[in-house]
Amino acid sequence: MDFVPKWIAWEITRRCNLHCVHCRSSSQLEIDGHPDFSLAEAKRILAEIRSYANPVVVLSGGEPLLRPDVFDIAAHGTELGLRMCLATNGSLVNAETCRHIKDSGIKMVSLSLDGATAEVHDDFRNQPGAFSGVMNAIRLFNEHSIDFLINSSFTQRNKEEAPRIYQLVKKLGATAWYLFMIVPTGRGENILAELIPADEYEEMLNWHYDMEKEEDELLVRPTCAPQYYRLVLQRSKAEGERFKRRSLSFSTGGSKGCLAGQLICLIDVDGNVLPCSYFPLAAGNLQTQSFQDIWENSKLMLDMRNFSGYKGNCGRCEYVGVCGGCRARAYALTGDYLAGEPFCNHVPGRHLSQQPGTPTQTTCES
């Protein structure tokens, strides 16, 4: 695999008008000690990124629409030739927002929907009216011909909603639906007891596999569930069928599990570069180092790419090359980011045809 950054999430503010139970950055409306950076700094970072690579850049938060210059940032990225996207909770979207989205060249907007009803979604988002805000944003995006995708996060409190959310998303006109398995970082640490256990986790991934095989219009992906790619190989081999997958032009790919520090990363509001949005350790900071230097030379980033350094079941697993386990979840639950994936119940085979760290030949097609 060529380790080139394909997708960068960028926390342009840590402020947010919601108080979601699983928020990775523990965002709230006012955040002490983590101020928004200037527009000039945003332009500098975008130029630095573009001089090295051409990734998708997702303007995220917090809630990015709380920044009055969010569309100036997006427009500058577009001018540089970057594919700019936006991640919002939807509650602040209006007709003027839609005009700015189109004028600034934003190609895709992501929204979160964690329940098929207001009761479930609003509970997850800790905010009455959050569901109606998402529905209003979707209505406006459809009216203004703005492409959007839906992310759905799951714990014990809403896991039964997955099939219902999927059916709702299909009706709403979304381009893609990403099923997200919670990584307990930020406020997510407070809901450890709600995490879906490994056996039920596997059941959800098997449901996703069956659903994806039949889905021919909507792009669907499990996120932060790298063991899905092991499951795909196991089931497609057992069934004697090639598993074909749809893809989008902004996608990071569909045949590899954990991409942290390999194809993706997060830049937080303080300028730290992290392997992914749910990994709390920084590989470096853009105020003192270049993005290229951090990406190519940071020990943390290099560790993410060294499969032979993985430990536990992941280190012994014949599927490490297509799965790798969630490094952020391993760190959150064991304190060691190279440890085995805590929520995988696969037992590596006794006689491996490959050495650990050697990518397994995949039958997935993106």
Side-chain angles (χ1 to χ4, degrees), residues 153-281:
S153 299
F154 293 98
T155 66
Q156 293 279 25
R157 77 169 67 185
N158 70 333
K159 65 182 181 181
E160 303 299 330
E161 287 285 284
R164 291 187 281 273
I165 296 173
Y166 165 61
Q167 292 300 330
L168 177 59
V169 170
K170 285 175 66 70
K171 297 175 183 177
L172 292 173
T175 301
W177 180 54
Y178 290 170
L179 178 151
F180 172 59
M181 306 302 280
I182 288 288
V183 178
T185 57
R187 276 199 294 271
E189 295 178 357
N190 300 326
I191 56 171
L192 282 173
E194 291 190 32
L195 297 183
I196 298 171
D199 56 343
E200 296 178 26
Y201 197 135
E202 191 94 351
E203 289 176 7
M204 287 193 73
L205 297 182
N206 273 292
W207 170 81
H208 193 287
Y209 176 88
D210 293 333
M211 173 271 292
E212 186 175 357
K213 281 184 65 177
E214 301 301 320
E215 178 57 56
D216 57 5
E217 295 181 0
L218 183 70
L219 174 73
V220 292
R221 289 284 189 275
T223 304
C224 291
Q227 52 268 54
Y228 182 68
Y229 298 89
R230 177 261 303 166
L231 184 149
V232 165
L233 289 178
Q234 289 175 314
R235 288 198 54 182
S236 60
K237 181 179 180 180
E239 295 167 3
E241 296 180 4
R242 181 179 284 275
F243 190 72
K244 295 184 178 181
R245 317 197 72 201
R246 300 182 65 248
S247 64
L248 293 177
S249 58
F250 64 86
S251 175
T252 55
S255 59
K256 174 68 172 67
C258 184
L259 302 175
Q262 299 177 36
L263 297 179
I264 69 173
C265 67
L266 167 77
I267 301 173
D268 73 14
V269 73
D270 300 319
N272 295 309
V273 180
L274 301 91
C276 77
S277 297
Y278 308 98
F279 202 106
L281 300 181

Side-chain angles (χ1 to χ4, degrees), residues 11-15 34-38 66-69 269:
E11 181 188 71
I12 63 171
T13 184
R14 195 162 289 184
R15 295 177 294 127
H34 301 281
D36 297 350
F37 48 81
S38 68
L66 287 173
R67 279 195 67 138
D69 60 357
V269 73

Side-chain angles (χ1 to χ4, degrees), residues 41-108:
E41 177 68 356
K43 291 181 177 181
R44 182 191 73 81
I45 291 173
L46 284 170
E48 187 172 299
I49 291 170
R50 185 64 184 93
S51 69
Y52 173 58
N54 191 21
V56 173
V57 177
V58 183
L59 303 181
S60 183
E63 173 47 58
L65 293 181
L66 287 173
R67 279 195 67 138
D69 60 357
V70 57
F71 297 112
D72 295 319
I73 296 173
H76 189 72
T78 299
E79 291 170 4
L80 291 173
L82 292 164
R83 188 175 180 86
M84 304 300 292
C85 300
L86 177 73
T88 174
N89 62 44
S91 63
L92 302 179
V93 173
N94 54 33
E96 183 179 8
T97 305
C98 294
R99 289 192 291 271
H100 286 312
I101 287 172
K102 302 199 78 167
D103 290 346
S104 63
I106 288 173
K107 301 299 184 183
M108 180 69 63

